[in-house]
């Protein structure tokens, strides 16, 4: 049992803790978020999943419609799908299938749990390989810094593929830097995550290719073993080729089934026009030998690429308001048009691209994940899509549909996440200024591949370089938008966390630090006035509260129990968790009771506290029914109400120390 715990359960606990902390942030902010493009992914994923189910014989295709109205509806849907395929090539069917399947098995809460779990697992792997001699508690500290001090949990709770931009970066770094330290099973799992992450969006693929190219330079500078470096690089190349093959396979399937080729909107053409050179080129050349399809739109303002692509206003929109034939021509002409437009004024385009890159790097705050779903529930078009169904299965937004807004505002995110990003950069600078790094620079050991500090420097370089590469890929090629950069800036906090964890010595376990701290005069004076067991009990209670809240929301949101029946389910799991933690951490002295009697008395004490807890919880729900949308709030009130009672009962009844009889002196 002990061997099983050390091999499997102990490494899994930080992953579980990191997942719960990310879910706690999502709960504190409200609930998982959706976006307009979520509908595209969901519809495409549903179509793809059904096609696979039909092909495997798992599900039978529906019979052809015979009713005239049903035939007309089917024809209308086919026409809309035909039009949509001019743009759906920019959407990943694989992420769509993931979203559809997780939503069918649960709700978008399950999508959030899986995305958070994948992130916590990658963070744990990077911590373990970067800090092989760090004490175990630093794994929890690393998870906490990233979960509570970055944008990651907000994107884990965002039903869009953005979160996989960072996951692709971490997976690629693990394979490139720590290939020989990974087991075969870990390599396969990481490669699978990398392939899926790159398949969810083209920008993730480009980021990975850029980071891999930089890693090759690093291998040469640090004189990494040629065979080992080649294997790692070829693993990344294989993952890239597998991603391209998956995407090509899906495009071929759609073309063979429907006769339509999947295409992408002319993002680059609109970007060049909005930057200025393309706009001036159209006005100068259209009517003087140039016959681009875009010429018919040369007199529009053409200053915002998103308006040109998606606006329904014909005074600003181009792609979304034009005909199917015009869309195809724009997409076919895009490459040639971009080349000639850039050649018309290359200097201005370079300046504009650099400006867009800089603007993108500064946008480290949240926008789309914080938008109120009221718009999707009330808009004439979006209210007819799958978005209301996805939202309503998570929570009831009330009669006016205003009850599901995020608690963090966009202005609050600008201050909060900008400060956290700057803090992460300062922590990295602090780590690089410590004595071991300065000594390595003087002795040139940082160029030695086998030096742990060299590996850390390599990891930090790749993490920050990926943030820069992502800024260029998204800002210069598509356009600066906050979501594109905020989705990946958590990599800086991850680098700061593992960098600081590496300098913690192996002997610095929590019990030793606690004993050392008790020597300090201030701690001694505080111990005379405070019961430190109460502080430890409060920390354990916080962990129990998070477990209780997570299970409560799972029971209410997934299983469909009401808030009153879901409460005892969470209590059962939480009381087991706190019993194990209190026995190992809070009250470590030998107990007066046997193990079974101790457990029964503890259950009785917690049951007495649970009465006060549940009474407060139920009263809060009765007084403020709106709290049903944020059950952790009344649950927190109940936990506070029962805290003192359960502490006194645990200390003096359940965990009463054993009577120690001293042997008589000889």
């Amino acid at each position: 049992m002990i061997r099983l715990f050390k091999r499997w359960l102990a490494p899994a606990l930080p992953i579980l803790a990191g997942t719960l902390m990310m879910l706690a942030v999502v709960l504190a902010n409200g609930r998982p978020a959706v976006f307009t493009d979520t509908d595209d992914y969901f519809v495409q994923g549903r179509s793809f999943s059904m096609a696979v189910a039909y092909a495997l014989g798992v599900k039978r295709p529906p019979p052809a419609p015979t009713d005239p109205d049903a035939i007309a509806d089917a024809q209308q849907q086919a026409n809309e799908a035909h039009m949509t395929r001019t743009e759906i090539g920019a959407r990943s069917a694989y992420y769509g299938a993931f979203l559809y399947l997780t939503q069918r098995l649960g709700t978008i809460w399950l999508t959030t749990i899986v995305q958070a779990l994948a992130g916590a697992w990658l963070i744990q792997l990077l911590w373990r390989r970067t800090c092989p001699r760090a004490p175990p508690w630093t794994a929890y500290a690393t998870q906490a810094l990233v979960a509570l001090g970055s944008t990651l949990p907000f994107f884990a709770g965002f039903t869009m593929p953005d979160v996989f931009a960072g996951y692709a970066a971490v997976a690629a770094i693990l394979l490139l830097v720590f290939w020989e330290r990974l087991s075969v099973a870990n390599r396969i799992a990481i490669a699978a995550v990398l392939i899926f992450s790159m398949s969810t969006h083209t920008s993730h693929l480009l980021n990975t290719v850029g980071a891999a190219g930089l890693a090759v330079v690093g291998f040469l500078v640090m004189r990494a073993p040629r065979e080992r470096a080649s294997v790692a690089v070829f693993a990344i190349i294989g993952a890239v080729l597998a991603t391209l093959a998956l995407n090509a396979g899906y495009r071929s399937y759609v073309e063979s089934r429907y006769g339509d080729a999947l295409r992408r909107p002319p993002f680059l053409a609109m970007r060049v026009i909005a930057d200025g050179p393309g706009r001036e080129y159209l006005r100068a050349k259209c009517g003087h030998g140039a016959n681009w399809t875009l010429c018919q739109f040369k007199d529009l303002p053409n200053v915002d690429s998103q308006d040109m692509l998606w606006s329904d206003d014909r005074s600003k929109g181009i792609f979304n308001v034009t005909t199917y034939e015009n869309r195809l021509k724009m997409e076919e002409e895009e490459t040639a048009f971009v080349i000639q437009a850039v050649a018309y004024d290359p200097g201005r385009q370079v300046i504009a691209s650099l400006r867009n890159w800089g603007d993108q790097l500064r946008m480290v705050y949240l926008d789309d994940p914080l938008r109120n779903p009221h718009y999707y529930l009330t808009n004439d078009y979006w209210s007819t899509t799958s978005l209301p169904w996805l939202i309503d299965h998570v929570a009831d937004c009330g009669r006016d549909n205003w009850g599901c807004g995020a608690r963090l505002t966009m202005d609050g995110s600008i201050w909060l996440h900008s400060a956290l990003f700057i803090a992460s950069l300062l922590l990295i600078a602090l780590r690089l200024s410590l004595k071991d790094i300065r000594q390595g620079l003087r002795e040139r050991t940082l160029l030695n591949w086998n030096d742990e500090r060299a590996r850390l420097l390599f990891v930090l370089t790749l993490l920050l370089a990926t943030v820069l590469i992502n800024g260029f890929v998204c800002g210069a090629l598509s356009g600066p938008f906050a979501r594109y950069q905020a989705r990946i800036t958590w990599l800086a906090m991850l680098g700061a966390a593992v960098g600081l964890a590496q300098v913690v010595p192996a002997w610095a376990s929590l019990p030793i630090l606690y004993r050392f701290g008790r020597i300090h005069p201030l701690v001694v004076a505080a111990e005379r006035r405070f019961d430190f067991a109460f502080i430890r009990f409060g920390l354990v209670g916080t962990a129990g509260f998070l477990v209780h809240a997570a299970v409560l929301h799972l029971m209410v949101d997934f299983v469909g129990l009401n808030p009153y029946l879901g409460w005892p389910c969470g209590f059962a799991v939480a009381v087991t968790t706190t019993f194990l933690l209190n026995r190992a951490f809070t009250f470590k002295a030998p107990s007066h009771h046997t193990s079974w009697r101790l457990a029964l008395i503890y259950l009785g004490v917690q049951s007495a506290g649970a009465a006060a807890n549940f009474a407060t919880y139920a009263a809060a729900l009765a007084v403020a029914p709106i709290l049903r949308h944020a059950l952790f709030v009344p649950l927190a009130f109940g936990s506070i109400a029962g805290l003192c009672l359960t502490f006194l009962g645990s200390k003096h009844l359940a965990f009463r120390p054993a009577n120690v009889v001293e042997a008589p002196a000889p």
Side-chain angles (χ1 to χ4, degrees):
M1 181 63 71
I2 295 176
R3 184 179 301 176
L4 178 66
F5 177 81
K6 289 183 177 179
R7 183 173 181 180
W8 298 106
L9 295 182
L13 287 178
I15 300 174
L16 176 62
T19 304
L20 289 175
M21 284 186 279
M22 281 190 261
L23 293 178
V25 173
V26 178
L27 280 171
N29 189 50
R31 57 197 48 80
V34 300
F35 187 56
T36 53
D37 292 355
T38 303
D39 176 64
D40 292 334
Y41 285 108
F42 184 80
V43 172
Q44 191 177 18
R46 179 176 58 197
S47 175
F48 182 43
S49 300
M50 289 297 99
V52 173
Y54 298 153
L56 297 177
V58 177
K59 192 175 180 66
R60 291 184 179 181
T66 56
D67 182 75
D69 291 338
I71 294 175
D73 290 341
Q75 184 61 44
Q76 178 66 24
Q77 292 177 2
N79 292 336
E80 291 177 356
H82 177 66
M83 188 73 167
T84 301
R85 292 187 188 106
T86 60
E87 63 184 67
I88 206 66
R91 307 283 183 262
S92 168
Y94 301 105
Y95 182 80
F98 163 73
L99 172 61
Y100 175 74
L101 293 175
T102 52
Q103 198 283 330
R104 294 295 296 176
L105 293 173
T107 64
I108 53 177
W109 267 115
L110 182 57
T111 311
T112 298
I113 291 172
V114 175
Q115 292 183 164
L117 184 64
W121 175 67
L122 289 171
I123 292 169
Q124 171 71 0
L125 281 179
L126 189 67
W127 167 84
R128 182 72 281 170
R129 300 303 176 264
T130 309
C131 317
R133 287 181 289 276
W137 66 265
T138 59
Y140 297 92
T142 299
Q143 296 279 1
L145 274 175
V146 178
L148 306 178
S150 75
T151 58
L152 175 58
F154 295 92
F155 284 96
F158 190 42
T159 49
M160 289 283 288
D162 296 82
V163 71
F164 289 96
Y167 293 173
V170 178
I173 290 170
L174 282 166
L175 293 176
L176 288 166
V177 183
F178 302 108
W179 175 267
E180 72 280 9
R181 297 184 183 179
L182 298 169
S183 65
V184 175
N186 276 336
R187 292 172 187 168
I188 294 173
I190 294 169
V193 171
L194 176 60
I195 292 171
F196 177 78
S197 300
M198 291 190 295
S199 71
T200 59
H201 204 274
T202 304
S203 63
H204 307 172
L205 176 67
L206 297 177
N207 289 346
T208 302
V209 171
L214 183 62
V216 171
V217 177
F219 288 146
L220 296 175
V221 172
M222 300 176 68
R223 298 179 182 178
R226 182 175 300 177
E227 182 178 353
R228 178 246 174 265
S230 300
V231 170
V233 172
F234 279 117
I236 301 297
I237 294 175
V240 170
L241 294 177
T243 303
L244 295 175
L246 284 173
N247 292 336
Y250 179 72
R251 287 196 297 270
S252 299
Y253 157 75
V254 172
E255 189 168 1
S256 63
R257 180 177 176 84
Y258 301 105
D260 292 334
L262 285 181
R263 299 178 181 274
R264 298 173 179 272
F267 292 112
L268 278 178
M270 301 303 174
R271 180 73 263 149
V272 171
I273 293 173
D275 286 340
R279 185 168 60 249
E280 299 304 322
Y281 171 77
L282 285 175
R283 292 172 180 172
K285 299 297 183 180
C286 289
H288 298 84
N291 295 313
W292 305 107
T293 305
L294 287 168
C295 284
Q296 57 188 294
F297 305 100
K298 65 182 179 65
D299 295 325
L300 297 182
N302 293 336
V303 294
D304 188 293
S305 62
Q306 292 299 298
D307 283 343
M308 287 187 279
L309 282 169
W310 308 119
S311 177
D312 293 328
D313 185 348
R314 293 186 177 274
S315 65
K316 297 184 293 185
I318 295 178
F319 184 77
N320 207 39
V321 298
T322 193
T323 63
Y324 178 82
E325 291 72 18
N326 278 343
R327 285 189 176 191
L328 292 183
K329 290 179 182 178
M330 289 179 195
E331 291 165 344
E332 292 169 356
E333 296 170 355
E334 181 182 32
T335 302
F337 170 77
V338 169
I339 292 174
Q340 295 193 33
V342 171
Y344 180 75
D345 194 349
R348 185 176 179 182
Q349 184 59 55
V350 169
I351 294 173
S353 296
L354 292 176
R355 183 177 61 250
N356 292 335
W357 186 16
D359 291 341
Q360 184 69 80
L361 292 176
R362 290 196 296 270
M363 294 180 175
V364 298
Y365 52 88
L366 302 170
D367 56 353
D368 292 332
L370 301 180
R371 296 191 186 279
N372 196 313
H374 175 270
Y375 171 72
Y376 312 128
L377 297 171
T378 57
N379 178 265
D380 291 340
Y381 172 73
W382 294 112
S383 61
T384 63
T385 65
S386 60
L387 293 183
W389 191 67
L390 295 173
I391 297 168
D392 291 339
H393 275 67
V394 174
D396 181 10
C397 296
R399 289 184 178 179
D400 58 359
N401 294 311
W402 283 105
C404 291
R407 293 180 178 85
L408 180 65
T409 64
M410 194 178 302
D411 289 339
S413 175
I414 291 175
W415 287 98
L416 174 63
H417 291 110
S418 297
L420 289 172
F421 181 68
I422 294 172
S424 64
L425 297 180
L426 292 176
L427 288 174
I428 291 175
L430 172 64
R431 175 65 187 95
L432 297 179
S433 67
L434 295 180
K435 181 179 178 181
D436 62 329
I437 298 294
R438 289 187 278 109
Q439 183 179 356
L441 288 173
R442 288 195 302 269
E443 298 173 356
R444 297 182 179 275
T445 55
L446 290 183
L447 298 180
N448 182 359
W449 178 253
N450 295 320
D451 192 294
E452 293 295 339
R453 297 166 300 178
R455 296 282 185 105
L456 172 66
L457 189 61
F458 202 5
V459 168
L460 295 179
T461 300
L462 291 178
L463 287 173
L464 295 180
T466 304
V467 175
L468 295 174
I469 293 170
N470 179 80
F472 182 81
V473 168
C474 295
L477 302 183
S478 179
F481 299 98
R483 189 182 91 234
Y484 296 161
Q485 195 64 13
R487 66 182 185 173
I488 205 168
T489 51
W490 62 271
L491 295 179
M493 185 59 77
L494 175 60
V498 296
L500 295 176
Q502 192 191 62
V503 299
V504 179
W507 55 263
S509 62
L510 286 178
I512 291 177
L513 292 176
Y514 175 68
R515 295 191 193 103
F516 178 78
R518 293 185 66 179
I519 301 174
H520 196 280
L522 292 177
V523 177
V524 173
E527 233 179 1
R528 294 174 183 171
R529 294 168 173 81
F530 300 103
D531 190 346
F532 273 67
F534 182 76
I535 298 176
R536 296 194 297 271
F537 188 82
L539 293 174
V540 170
T542 302
F545 164 75
L546 293 175
V547 172
H548 196 163
V551 176
L552 173 62
H553 274 274
L554 287 176
M555 292 297 104
V556 174
D557 295 330
F558 286 172
V559 182
L561 298 180
N562 64 50
Y564 301 102
L565 292 178
W567 188 94
C569 299
F571 172 76
V573 181
V575 74
T576 304
T577 303
T578 56
F579 172 72
L580 296 174
L581 291 175
N582 278 322
R583 189 176 184 184
F585 176 61
T586 308
F587 307 106
K588 294 180 289 186
S591 176
H592 179 76
H593 309 292
T594 62
S595 297
W596 283 106
R597 186 175 179 182
L598 171 63
L600 291 175
I601 295 175
Y602 182 80
L603 179 60
V605 169
Q606 290 293 330
S607 298
N613 187 325
F614 185 76
T616 307
Y617 170 82
L621 286 178
V623 172
I626 194 173
L627 293 178
R628 291 172 180 266
H629 304 310
L631 293 175
F632 66 93
V633 176
L635 184 64
F637 294 152
S639 300
I640 294 171
L643 178 62
C644 293
L645 178 61
T646 53
F647 171 70
L648 293 175
S650 297
K651 180 177 181 179
H652 298 291
L653 294 177
F655 294 100
R656 181 158 65 96
N659 295 324
V660 180
V661 180
E662 296 184 1

